[in-house]
Amino acid sequence: MSLAFCTRFLPVLAALAVSSCGPVRPQDRMCQTDKLIGSGERDLAALERYFPDGFPEQMQPGNCGVEGPRLTTVETEWYPSQWSAACEPPLEDAVTTETNSQFTFRFSYLPSFDSSIFMRLESDDNGHILIVKQMTGNGGGDPGIISRSKEIELANDEVAAIQESIVGILEARDESIAKLRREGPKYPCSYPFDGTQWILETVQNGEYDLVQDNTPRQGLLFDLGHMLLTKTGWEDVSEF
C-alpha cells in the first residue's frame, strides 16, 4: 500500500468508521464517501446555490432595530457549509413538483459546541417523509460527518399542521419587522454570542424564505422546533 494511498484514504476510512456508530441511510453514506474523496472545487461551487440570488443581501432590521442584510457574510458561508457537509441539497432543489406549488421545509439546529441536527420534508405521490440527520462535529465549527440518519413518515394532517405553524411563524416575523421599523434602533442593545441557532427554511408556492433565532425559549419557532426534535425519537436529543 503506497504512502499516497494512506495519506488520502485512511482519514476517509476512519471517518466512515465513526459514522458507523449509528444507523446511517445508505444514500447518506454514499454521499458522505463521495464528499470525503471528492472535489473541493465542486463542493465550493455547490455552496453558492443555497440561497436565491440577492436573498442574503435583502435589508431588514435586526433584533436591535438596525437595518442590515438579512444574512451576515458569516451566516451566508456558515450555514451552507453545514448543509453541504450533511449532504443536504439547496431547499429549492428539494421541491420536485413542476407546478412550483409544492411545500417543503428544513429545520436546522446548530449548537455552538455540540452536534448539528437537520430535518427536511420530502413529499411525493406516495406520501411525506421527514429526513433527519445528526452530525459528529459541532454547529459552531467543523460539522464533521453524518453520525446517524433516518426517515420518519408523516401523515397528511401532520404536514398540514406544520405548514400552518410555518405560516404563523412567517406572519409573526413580518409583524416584528414592521414594529422594529416603526420604533427604530434600540440603544443599548446586545447581540447574542454562541448558543444555538434555530433556522427554518421554507419553500411555498415557489418562494424561498428563512427565519432564524438564537437559543429561543418560547414562541412559535421554538414550539415547532421542539416538536420536530421530539419526533426524532433519539433519547439524547433532549436538551434544547
Side-chain angles (χ1 to χ4, degrees):
M1 184 181 296
S2 70
L3 178 61
F5 180 92
C6 292
T7 302
R8 182 178 182 187
F9 289 102
L10 284 185
V12 174
L13 296 175
L16 292 177
V18 171
S19 73
S20 68
C21 294
V24 177
R25 299 187 315 151
Q27 55 268 53
D28 291 330
R29 192 178 298 280
M30 290 179 61
C31 173
Q32 198 78 83
T33 302
D34 181 61
K35 280 185 173 295
L36 288 167
I37 63 176
S39 167
E41 292 183 1
R42 180 185 57 196
D43 288 346
L44 183 61
L47 297 182
E48 299 176 355
R49 300 190 297 109
Y50 276 92
F51 303 115
D53 289 344
F55 181 87
E57 295 80 22
Q58 294 174 4
M59 301 295 286
Q60 68 179 36
N63 292 335
C64 294
V66 178
E67 289 278 345
R70 66 186 305 166
L71 291 175
T72 66
T73 301
V74 171
E75 291 168 342
T76 303
E77 297 175 357
W78 172 21
Y79 298 164
S81 70
Q82 290 274 331
W83 294 325
S84 177
C87 295
E88 277 294 294
L91 195 62
E92 288 186 311
D93 291 355
V95 179
T96 57
T97 180
E98 297 180 356
T99 64
N100 286 329
S101 61
Q102 182 79 21
F103 160 74
T104 191
F105 72 88
R106 174 166 50 221
F107 173 66
S108 301
Y109 179 83
L110 273 60
S112 293
F113 306 111
D114 205 347
S115 56
S116 301
I117 297 174
F118 305 100
M119 313 182 73
R120 174 172 49 85
L121 177 70
E122 281 194 357
S123 299
D124 57 28
D125 292 340
N126 296 319
H128 309 282
I129 298 294
L130 187 63
I131 298 173
V132 185
K133 304 174 185 179
Q134 187 170 23
M135 308 300 287
T136 60
N138 61 71
D142 183 356
I145 63 174
I146 301 169
S147 65
R148 55 184 175 179
S149 61
K150 64 191 297 185
E151 297 180 356
I152 303 170
E153 292 187 15
L154 297 180
N156 289 338
D157 58 347
E158 290 180 289
V159 174
I162 291 171
Q163 187 170 14
E164 183 177 354
S165 295
I166 289 175
V167 169
I169 289 170
L170 298 178
E171 289 178 346
R173 185 274 314 275
D174 292 343
E175 291 173 1
S176 175
I177 288 175
K179 180 180 179 181
L180 288 167
R181 284 182 171 144
R182 289 194 304 268
E183 296 178 350
K186 302 176 183 178
Y187 301 104
C189 183
S190 60
Y191 291 88
F193 293 95
D194 296 326
T196 301
Q197 289 296 112
W198 295 46
I199 307 163
L200 176 66
E201 303 168 90
T202 182
V203 173
Q204 300 191 75
N205 299 319
E207 294 292 326
Y208 175 90
D209 208 339
L210 179 149
V211 179
Q212 62 177 328
D213 199 357
N214 183 279
T215 320
R217 295 301 182 191
Q218 60 182 358
L220 297 177
L221 178 58
F222 173 82
D223 291 342
L224 177 60
H226 184 279
M227 182 274 290
L228 291 172
L229 289 168
T230 301
K231 276 190 174 294
T232 65
W234 292 332
E235 294 183 0
D236 52 334
V237 179
S238 58
E239 297 298 327
F240 309 128

